[in-house]
Amino acid sequence: MKKKGGVMQNYKELVVWEKGHLFTLKVYEVTKEYPREEIFSLTTQIRRAAYSMPANIAEGCGRCTQKELANFLQISLGSANECEYFLLLSKDLNYLNEETYQEMRIEINSIKAMLIKLIAKVRL
């Protein structure tokens, strides 16, 4: 990871960004099947929360200080928590089958764990 002034500059080199990006693509794929009446509510909310994760990682990597990066990573973690809830809600509304829900739940929890570790490392 190249650093400039102590801050990571190339977000694409971060595995957590890549996983967040792939997760976002999966969210877009599965939400295509959500009911039409959800287009301006749950579909939009889960998509926004999903793309907020890699977007905030990218924005944080473009900042000048470790503190700023940590703040954007924290926002990304909050979005990951939102995604986790929206997945549960989607399953409970029968928009996601159990298998898809479990796969995505495992992936979002992996992303959350990676973000927590990265936040701790950046704050050192």
Side-chain angles (χ1 to χ4, degrees):
M1 172 64 54
K2 294 178 186 174
K3 294 186 178 189
K4 182 179 180 184
V7 177
M8 293 173 233
Q9 295 297 301
N10 189 354
Y11 63 89
K12 292 178 190 171
E13 292 179 8
L14 292 172
V15 174
V16 69
W17 175 86
E18 183 179 355
K19 288 182 80 138
H21 176 68
L22 293 174
F23 181 84
T24 301
L25 295 175
K26 178 72 173 177
V27 164
Y28 270 78
E29 178 187 323
V30 300
T31 57
K32 285 180 186 177
E33 304 301 320
Y34 281 22
R36 190 109 180 110
E37 66 265 16
E38 291 290 355
I39 195 72
F40 296 111
S41 53
L42 183 56
T43 302
T44 300
Q45 287 294 104
I46 193 170
R47 287 178 175 183
R48 283 182 183 171
Y51 68 65
S52 177
M53 291 184 302
N56 277 292
I57 293 167
E59 186 169 355
C61 287
R63 296 299 173 137
C64 295
T65 68
Q66 294 288 99
K67 183 178 179 183
E68 287 177 299
L69 173 58
N71 287 336
F72 279 94
L73 293 173
Q74 194 68 50
I75 293 167
S76 183
L77 180 59
S79 296
N81 281 312
E82 274 188 279
C83 279
E84 184 180 26
Y85 169 68
F86 291 141
L87 289 172
L88 176 63
L89 179 59
S90 295
K91 179 188 70 84
D92 289 349
L93 291 170
N94 295 313
Y95 299 161
L96 289 179
N97 63 44
E98 185 68 29
E99 182 181 348
T100 302
Y101 167 72
Q102 290 299 335
E103 288 171 6
M104 295 183 77
R105 185 187 62 78
I106 289 166
E107 190 60 29
I108 197 66
N109 281 317
S110 171
I111 291 167
K112 286 170 51 178
M114 293 176 82
L115 282 167
I116 290 166
K117 286 180 183 177
L118 185 55
I119 291 165
K121 184 177 177 180
V122 168
R123 286 190 172 151
L124 287 179

